[in-house]
Every structure is written in structure tokens, then in C-alpha cells.
Amino acid sequence: MAEQRQEIPKPLPQVTPLTQTFWEETARRRLVIQRCQACGSFVWCPRPHCGECGDERLEWTPVSGRGSVYSFTVIREAAGRGTKGFDKDIPYVVAWIDLDEGPRLVSNVVQCPVEKVAIGMAVEVVFEEAGPGIFLPKFRPR
């Protein structure tokens, strides 16, 4: 008797009090990053205090969503049960994106053949609905 395969969904980000504003803004198709009011540094990933000076006065600040690919890899195989939800996306690009304002985020490059992605490529943010009220910032060539 053949075993029935259960479809494994992609994991969704957990919305916490610390990240709630970020996810509310992505649902509005706006990219925001915390910025320290004391020293002016951008703070990414969201945290309760500045990594540069330790101050707790952080403010969510809109950023342009424009940047460039710092580095990337192409995922061509799901390794392990926890990544099976991504099978339909293979191959896909995971990239470090340097935003024009300075912060570096990890995301995906989309709307581009994987063989065309290049270090230094100019990109801009797009928002992909991943679940109810969850919109992931991803990047496409500009």
C-alpha cells in the first residue's frame, strides 16, 4: 500500500510585539527598519536596543527598498523535511541585499532567472503574500 504524502507548508514568520510594526508595514507594502535615535544607526534584525551604542530609543523608519545584491546562492534542492515546503520554488535565490540606506538583509531575488542574478545587481523591494496578513519583502531587478 502506497503511503500518502502530506504537503508540508512553508514556515511563516512569527509576529511578536517587537516585530509587529515591521509586519504591519509590509502588509501596507512599505519597508521599515529600526533606527537608533541616539546615534542614527540602522538596526536590523529587529531588537530592543541599538547594537552600536546600546540605546533603547529605536524608531521604525521608512527606507526606499532599493539596493544591490551583496552575495547570493541558488537553492537547487530541498535538504530535509523542514525545507520541503519550498520544493515548488526550486531553483530559487537567497541573497544578502545591501539597501541604499546601509542595512543588509537576507531575502530572495525574484522575477529574474537564477542564472541572471549577479553580485552588484541593482534591485528593488516587492512584497509577496505568504499567509494571512504576512507579506514578505523580496527583491527584483530594477
Side-chain angles (χ1 to χ4, degrees):
M1 185 164 167
E3 198 176 306
Q4 178 117 9
R5 287 190 174 236
Q6 180 183 11
E7 185 170 327
I8 298 171
K10 291 180 188 176
L12 293 176
Q14 182 178 14
V15 179
T16 67
L18 183 60
T19 63
Q20 184 173 354
T21 299
F22 177 80
W23 295 114
E24 288 171 350
E25 292 300 310
T26 61
R28 294 180 181 103
R29 313 310 192 274
R30 294 190 290 224
L31 187 59
V32 295
I33 305 285
Q34 288 177 310
R35 190 164 201 178
C36 180
Q37 293 180 34
C39 72
S41 295
F42 281 100
V43 177
W44 185 258
C45 295
R47 56 189 66 140
H49 56 81
C50 177
E52 293 294 320
C53 73
D55 199 275
E56 295 178 358
R57 292 174 293 146
L58 303 178
E59 180 176 64
W60 289 101
T61 305
V63 292
S64 67
R66 296 168 66 90
S68 61
V69 174
Y70 172 77
S71 186
F72 71 96
T73 190
V74 178
I75 306 300
R76 298 182 186 279
E77 182 177 342
R81 183 172 163 76
T83 61
K84 290 295 182 190
F86 297 92
D87 274 353
K88 294 178 184 173
D89 299 330
I90 291 173
Y92 61 94
V93 174
V94 176
W96 283 0
I97 305 296
D98 282 344
L99 295 177
D100 287 352
E101 293 84 359
R104 179 177 290 158
L105 344 158
V106 175
S107 186
N108 299 110
V109 175
V110 295
Q111 302 176 19
C112 179
V114 296
E115 56 278 348
K116 299 280 187 184
V117 177
I119 291 172
M121 183 171 74
V123 292
E124 63 186 0
V125 72
V126 293
F127 297 92
E128 181 180 291
E129 188 169 14
I134 300 292
F135 290 79
L136 301 176
K138 298 192 176 188
F139 292 83
R140 68 177 175 207
R142 60 177 160 104

